[in-house]
Amino acid sequence: MTYTVDVARGAEVLARGGLVAIPTETVYGLGADAHQPEAVRRIFAVKGRPTTHPLIVHLAHVDALAHWARTIPPFARRLADVLMPGPLTLILPRADHVSDAVTGGRDTVGLRVPRHPLAIALIEALSLARGESHAGIAAPSANRFGSVSPTTAAHVHADLEGEDVGVLDGGSCEVGLESTIVDCAAADAGPSILRVGGIPRELIEEVLGAPVPLATEGPSRAPGMMASHYAPRARVVIATRETIDDAIAHARASGLRVASLARGATHADRSITMSTNEAALARDLYATLRALDGEGLDVIVVELPEARGLGLAIADRLTRASR
Ligand code: TXA
Ligand code: MG
């Protein structure tokens, strides 16, 4: 059974090796004390996720980066100073003490300082409970492997029903999309973006004063980013303004119940108008996909937002969901 915890109880559960779902500004994470490999291994069992997929370690302060990373190149330091706390994960060479359970045996570790007061309070309470100055919570998104990330505590309870997991309710996630992941592990090669997300690429480039390549195509450098991810149960079909009416008619003709997520109203069974405000669209996207699954829709026809700013990450998730 999942159960509700407050910060104090959550820290106790983590300290004795249990799992706690944590609110962050992006999505909810399924957390364990990153210093306890046995606890971290339980995350994979609960999620049904391959154990070779590395986890992000969540820290309370930018100062803790130096405890978890062996070195921090100047460009990574600059990103951390300007954009943390926030929806940004840096991949850095791991410190020697970081366990293989967290990194999937890699020589790097993903580090992030979430911008959510309850997440920070929980990490600090874990530090106190363990008598450490730089505790970290290792956490993937708190959904079962392959499905849409949870953006409310209710989503977590629904997904992890039957599991022995404490849930810290921090309300609805303010950003609603996973963090942007920047690979900073190869100081000579410079940074590259492994996953687009809550911090727009344009902002990263502005902070660094230089273009930053996307490494999201090609052989998977961030395992766990395969196409089938981020998908609701309903089939997602990508359309344009020009093709959307035909796509809806085609699916309805085969007797399927069709929803549309588009900039205007359509003749779908359920027509949802996309916000033109990208932040609002991102915030509500996963809850909308979940709600349509709950209503039993078979197909969701979506019009992609423009691929810039947060629209790039929204388009990325919807495209993955459609594969
Ligand atoms: O916003 C987020 O990032 C959320 C919240 C909970 O922090 N977390 C999240 O975790 O989305 P997850 O595990 O669902 O996705 C993290 C991605 C995975 O694709 C993983 O392979 C990649 O980050 N990753 C983690 N550590 C890595 C590393 N050392 N090298 C390469 N990729 C890494
Ligand atoms: Mg995930």
Side-chain angles (χ1 to χ4, degrees):
M1 276 285 284
T2 55
Y3 55 97
T4 300
V5 295
D6 60 11
V7 168
R9 175 91 183 100
E12 276 167 36
V13 171
L14 290 171
R16 64 156 173 76
L19 302 187
V20 175
I22 60 168
T24 81
E25 79 281 30
T26 60
V27 301
Y28 276 74
L30 176 59
D33 177 358
H35 277 137
Q36 300 186 54
E38 273 315 310
V40 172
R41 277 191 272 272
R42 269 202 60 224
I43 294 175
F44 295 92
V46 166
K47 253 191 88 105
R49 165 162 157 153
T51 52
T52 51
H53 289 182
L55 303 178
I56 295 170
V57 178
H58 299 73
L59 308 171
H61 305 284
V62 174
D63 298 348
L65 290 173
H67 174 74
W68 291 87
R70 193 161 65 237
T71 56
I72 304 176
F75 59 83
R77 168 59 59 197
R78 170 112 187 106
L79 289 174
D81 287 344
V82 180
L83 299 174
M84 288 181 171
L88 175 71
T89 296
L90 300 180
I91 306 296
L92 290 162
R94 71 160 156 181
D96 292 338
H97 65 84
V98 184
S99 84
D100 285 343
V102 170
T103 67
R106 294 172 170 237
D107 192 36
T108 57
V109 62
L111 300 175
R112 147 163 156 73
V113 181
R115 191 180 63 214
H116 193 296
L118 288 188
I120 303 289
L122 183 66
I123 300 163
E124 284 179 336
L126 176 62
S127 284
L128 268 179
R130 300 270 295 167
E132 297 169 347
S133 42
H134 298 302
I137 296 180
S141 51
N143 50 292
R144 301 255 186 211
F145 186 58
S147 72
V148 178
S149 295
T151 53
T152 66
H155 294 163
V156 178
H157 285 292
D159 274 12
L160 301 184
E161 201 187 339
E163 300 291 347
D164 182 17
V165 170
V167 180
L168 179 59
D169 188 346
S172 294
C173 300
E174 166 202 333
V175 175
L177 291 175
E178 298 83 352
S179 60
T180 299
I181 303 181
V182 183
D183 188 350
C184 301
D188 305 344
S192 63
I193 296 176
L194 293 188
R195 178 177 71 184
V196 292
I199 298 269
R201 177 191 195 177
E202 293 87 339
L203 182 53
I204 289 171
E205 295 186 328
E206 192 185 311
V207 168
L208 295 179
V212 177
L214 291 179
T216 50
E217 300 300 332
S220 176
R221 294 177 59 192
M225 295 230 16
M226 52 274 258
S228 66
H229 274 217
Y230 309 98
R233 203 181 32 71
R235 191 156 61 84
V236 175
V237 173
I238 307 288
T240 63
R241 177 68 51 87
E242 290 70 38
T243 63
I244 194 159
D245 289 332
D246 282 352
I248 292 166
H250 183 77
R252 292 192 73 191
S254 0
L256 297 171
R257 293 192 63 219
V258 183
S260 68
L261 190 55
R263 278 184 279 283
T266 70
H267 293 295
D269 299 290
R270 181 87 160 75
S271 168
I272 297 177
T273 304
M274 261 182 168
S275 175
T276 49
N277 174 337
E278 282 169 357
L281 179 57
R283 190 191 61 214
D284 298 337
L285 182 67
Y286 291 158
T288 302
L289 295 178
R290 280 172 182 265
L292 293 173
D293 270 351
E295 291 173 31
L297 274 304
D298 303 302
V299 178
I300 307 172
V301 180
V302 298
E303 204 182 316
L304 296 184
E306 269 187 73
R308 58 175 162 72
L310 276 181
L312 182 64
I314 296 167
D316 171 80
R317 299 304 189 271
L318 287 171
T319 303
R320 286 175 197 281
S322 74
R323 289 184 181 147

Coordinates of all heavy atoms in Angstrom, one line a residue, residues 24 26-29 47 49 54-56 58 89 91 106 108-110 112 139-141 177-179 181 194-195 221-225, ligand 1:
T24 N 8.5 17.4 -7.0 CA 9.5 18.4 -7.5 C 8.8 19.4 -8.4 O 7.6 19.2 -8.6 CB 10.7 17.8 -8.2 OG1 10.3 17.5 -9.6 CG2 11.2 16.5 -7.6
T26 N 9.2 19.6 -11.5 CA 9.0 19.0 -12.8 C 8.0 17.9 -12.7 O 6.9 18.1 -13.3 CB 10.4 18.4 -13.3 OG1 10.8 17.4 -12.4 CG2 11.4 19.5 -13.5
V27 N 8.3 16.8 -12.1 CA 7.4 15.7 -12.0 C 7.7 15.0 -10.6 O 8.7 15.4 -10.0 CB 7.5 14.6 -13.1 CG1 7.3 15.3 -14.5 CG2 8.9 13.9 -13.1
Y28 N 6.8 14.1 -10.1 CA 7.2 13.4 -8.9 C 8.2 12.4 -9.1 O 8.3 11.7 -10.2 CB 5.9 12.7 -8.3 CG 5.0 13.7 -7.5 CD1 4.3 14.7 -8.1 CD2 5.0 13.6 -6.1 CE1 3.5 15.5 -7.3 CE2 4.2 14.4 -5.3 CZ 3.5 15.4 -5.9 OH 2.7 16.3 -5.2
G29 N 9.1 12.2 -8.2 CA 10.2 11.2 -8.3 C 9.9 10.1 -7.3 O 9.3 10.3 -6.2
K47 N 9.5 0.1 -9.9 CA 9.2 0.7 -11.2 C 9.1 -0.3 -12.4 O 8.5 0.0 -13.4 CB 10.3 1.7 -11.6 CG 9.9 3.2 -11.4 CD 10.9 4.1 -12.0 CE 10.6 4.4 -13.5 NZ 10.1 5.7 -13.8
R49 N 11.9 -1.2 -13.9 CA 12.8 -0.6 -14.8 C 14.2 -1.4 -14.8 O 14.6 -1.9 -13.8 CB 13.1 0.8 -14.3 CG 14.2 1.6 -14.8 CD 14.0 3.1 -14.5 NE 15.2 3.9 -14.5 CZ 15.2 5.2 -14.8 NH1 14.1 5.8 -15.1 NH2 16.3 5.8 -14.8
P54 N 20.6 4.6 -15.3 CA 21.1 5.4 -14.1 C 20.0 6.3 -13.6 O 19.0 6.7 -14.3 CB 22.2 6.2 -14.8 CG 21.9 6.3 -16.2 CD 21.2 5.0 -16.6
L55 N 20.1 6.7 -12.3 CA 19.2 7.6 -11.7 C 19.8 8.9 -11.4 O 21.0 9.1 -11.2 CB 18.8 7.0 -10.3 CG 18.2 5.6 -10.3 CD1 17.9 5.1 -8.9 CD2 16.9 5.5 -11.2
I56 N 18.9 9.9 -11.3 CA 19.3 11.3 -11.0 C 19.4 11.4 -9.4 O 18.5 10.9 -8.7 CB 18.3 12.3 -11.5 CG1 18.4 12.3 -13.1 CG2 18.7 13.7 -11.0 CD1 17.2 13.1 -13.7
H58 N 19.1 13.8 -6.3 CA 18.6 15.1 -6.0 C 19.2 15.7 -4.7 O 19.3 15.0 -3.7 CB 17.0 15.0 -5.8 CG 16.3 14.5 -7.0 ND1 16.4 13.2 -7.5 CD2 15.5 15.2 -7.9 CE1 15.7 13.1 -8.6 NE2 15.2 14.3 -8.9
T89 N 19.3 19.0 -15.0 CA 20.2 17.9 -14.5 C 21.5 18.0 -15.2 O 21.6 18.1 -16.4 CB 19.5 16.6 -14.7 OG1 18.3 16.5 -14.0 CG2 20.4 15.4 -14.3
I91 N 25.0 16.0 -16.0 CA 25.8 14.8 -15.9 C 27.3 15.1 -15.7 O 27.8 15.8 -16.6 CB 25.6 14.0 -17.2 CG1 24.1 13.8 -17.6 CG2 26.3 12.6 -17.2 CD1 23.3 12.9 -16.6
R106 N 28.0 3.3 -14.5 CA 28.7 4.4 -15.3 C 29.7 5.1 -14.5 O 29.6 5.1 -13.3 CB 27.7 5.3 -15.9 CG 26.8 4.7 -16.9 CD 25.7 5.6 -17.3 NE 25.1 4.9 -18.4 CZ 24.9 5.4 -19.7 NH1 25.3 6.7 -19.9 NH2 24.4 4.7 -20.6
T108 N 29.7 8.3 -14.6 CA 29.1 9.6 -14.4 C 27.9 9.5 -13.5 O 27.4 8.5 -13.3 CB 28.7 10.1 -15.8 OG1 27.8 9.2 -16.4 CG2 29.9 10.4 -16.7
V109 N 27.5 10.7 -13.0 CA 26.3 10.8 -12.2 C 25.5 12.0 -12.6 O 26.0 13.0 -12.9 CB 26.7 10.8 -10.7 CG1 27.5 12.0 -10.3 CG2 25.4 10.7 -9.8
G110 N 24.1 11.8 -12.6 CA 23.2 12.9 -12.9 C 22.9 13.6 -11.6 O 22.4 13.0 -10.7
R112 N 20.9 17.0 -9.6 CA 19.9 18.1 -9.8 C 19.5 18.6 -8.5 O 19.4 17.9 -7.5 CB 18.8 17.4 -10.6 CG 17.4 17.9 -10.3 CD 16.5 17.5 -11.5 NE 15.1 17.4 -11.1 CZ 14.3 18.4 -10.9 NH1 14.8 19.6 -11.0 NH2 13.0 18.2 -10.5
A139 N 16.4 9.3 -7.5 CA 15.0 9.2 -7.9 C 14.8 9.3 -9.4 O 15.2 10.2 -10.0 CB 14.1 10.2 -7.2
P140 N 14.1 8.3 -10.0 CA 13.5 8.4 -11.3 C 12.1 9.0 -11.2 O 11.7 9.2 -10.1 CB 13.5 7.0 -11.8 CG 13.2 6.2 -10.6 CD 13.8 6.9 -9.4
S141 N 11.5 9.3 -12.3 CA 10.1 9.7 -12.2 C 9.3 8.6 -11.6 O 9.6 7.4 -11.8 CB 9.5 10.0 -13.6 OG 9.8 9.0 -14.5
L177 N 7.0 19.1 -16.9 CA 7.9 18.3 -17.8 C 9.2 18.0 -17.1 O 9.6 18.8 -16.3 CB 8.2 19.1 -19.0 CG 7.1 19.4 -20.0 CD1 7.8 20.3 -21.1 CD2 6.5 18.1 -20.6
E178 N 9.8 16.9 -17.4 CA 11.0 16.5 -16.7 C 12.1 17.5 -17.0 O 12.1 18.3 -17.9 CB 11.5 15.1 -17.3 CG 10.5 13.9 -17.0 CD 9.4 13.8 -18.0 OE1 9.3 14.7 -18.8 OE2 8.7 12.8 -17.9
S179 N 13.2 17.4 -16.2 CA 14.3 18.4 -16.3 C 15.0 18.2 -17.6 O 15.0 17.1 -18.2 CB 15.3 18.1 -15.1 OG 15.8 16.8 -15.2
I181 N 18.4 17.7 -19.4 CA 19.7 17.0 -19.0 C 20.8 17.5 -19.9 O 20.7 17.3 -21.1 CB 19.5 15.5 -19.1 CG1 18.3 15.0 -18.3 CG2 20.8 14.8 -18.6 CD1 18.1 13.4 -18.3
L194 N 21.2 16.1 -23.5 CA 20.8 14.7 -23.7 C 19.3 14.6 -23.7 O 18.7 13.7 -24.3 CB 21.3 13.9 -22.6 CG 22.8 13.6 -22.4 CD1 23.1 12.6 -21.4 CD2 23.4 13.2 -23.8
R195 N 18.6 15.5 -23.0 CA 17.1 15.4 -23.0 C 16.6 16.9 -22.9 O 17.0 17.6 -22.0 CB 16.6 14.6 -21.8 CG 15.1 14.6 -21.7 CD 14.5 13.7 -20.6 NE 14.8 14.3 -19.3 CZ 14.5 13.7 -18.1 NH1 13.9 12.5 -18.1 NH2 14.7 14.3 -17.0
R221 N 22.3 7.9 -25.4 CA 23.3 8.2 -24.4 C 22.7 8.3 -23.1 O 23.4 8.3 -22.1 CB 24.0 9.5 -24.9 CG 24.8 9.3 -26.2 CD 25.4 10.5 -26.7 NE 26.4 11.1 -25.7 CZ 26.9 12.3 -25.8 NH1 26.5 13.1 -26.8 NH2 27.7 12.7 -24.9
A222 N 21.4 8.6 -23.0 CA 20.7 8.6 -21.7 C 19.8 7.4 -21.8 O 18.7 7.5 -22.2 CB 20.0 9.9 -21.5
P223 N 20.2 6.2 -21.3 CA 19.4 5.0 -21.3 C 18.1 5.3 -20.7 O 18.0 6.0 -19.6 CB 20.2 4.0 -20.6 CG 21.4 4.6 -20.2 CD 21.4 6.0 -20.5
G224 N 17.0 4.8 -21.2 CA 15.7 5.1 -20.6 C 15.0 6.1 -21.4 O 13.9 6.6 -21.1
M225 N 15.6 6.6 -22.5 CA 14.9 7.6 -23.3 C 14.4 7.0 -24.6 O 14.2 7.7 -25.6 CB 15.9 8.7 -23.6 CG 16.3 9.4 -22.4 SD 16.2 11.2 -22.4 CE 15.2 11.5 -23.8
Ligands
TXA1 O1 12.7 16.1 -13.8 C1 13.3 15.1 -13.7 O2 14.4 14.9 -14.2 C2 12.6 13.9 -12.9 C3 12.5 14.4 -11.5 C4 12.0 13.3 -10.6 O3 13.8 14.8 -11.0 N1 13.4 12.7 -13.0 C5 13.4 11.9 -14.1 O4 14.1 10.8 -14.0 O5 12.8 12.2 -15.2 P1 14.1 9.6 -15.0 O6 14.9 8.5 -14.4 O7 12.7 9.2 -15.3 O8 14.9 10.2 -16.2 C6 16.2 10.5 -16.0 C7 17.0 10.3 -17.3 C8 17.0 8.8 -17.7 O9 16.8 8.7 -19.1 C9 18.5 8.4 -17.4 O10 19.0 7.4 -18.2 C10 19.2 9.7 -17.5 O11 18.3 10.7 -17.0 N2 20.4 9.7 -16.7 C11 20.6 9.7 -15.4 N3 21.9 9.6 -15.0 C12 22.6 9.6 -16.1 C13 24.0 9.5 -16.4 N4 24.9 9.3 -15.5 N5 24.3 9.4 -17.7 C14 23.4 9.5 -18.7 N6 22.1 9.6 -18.5 C15 21.7 9.6 -17.2

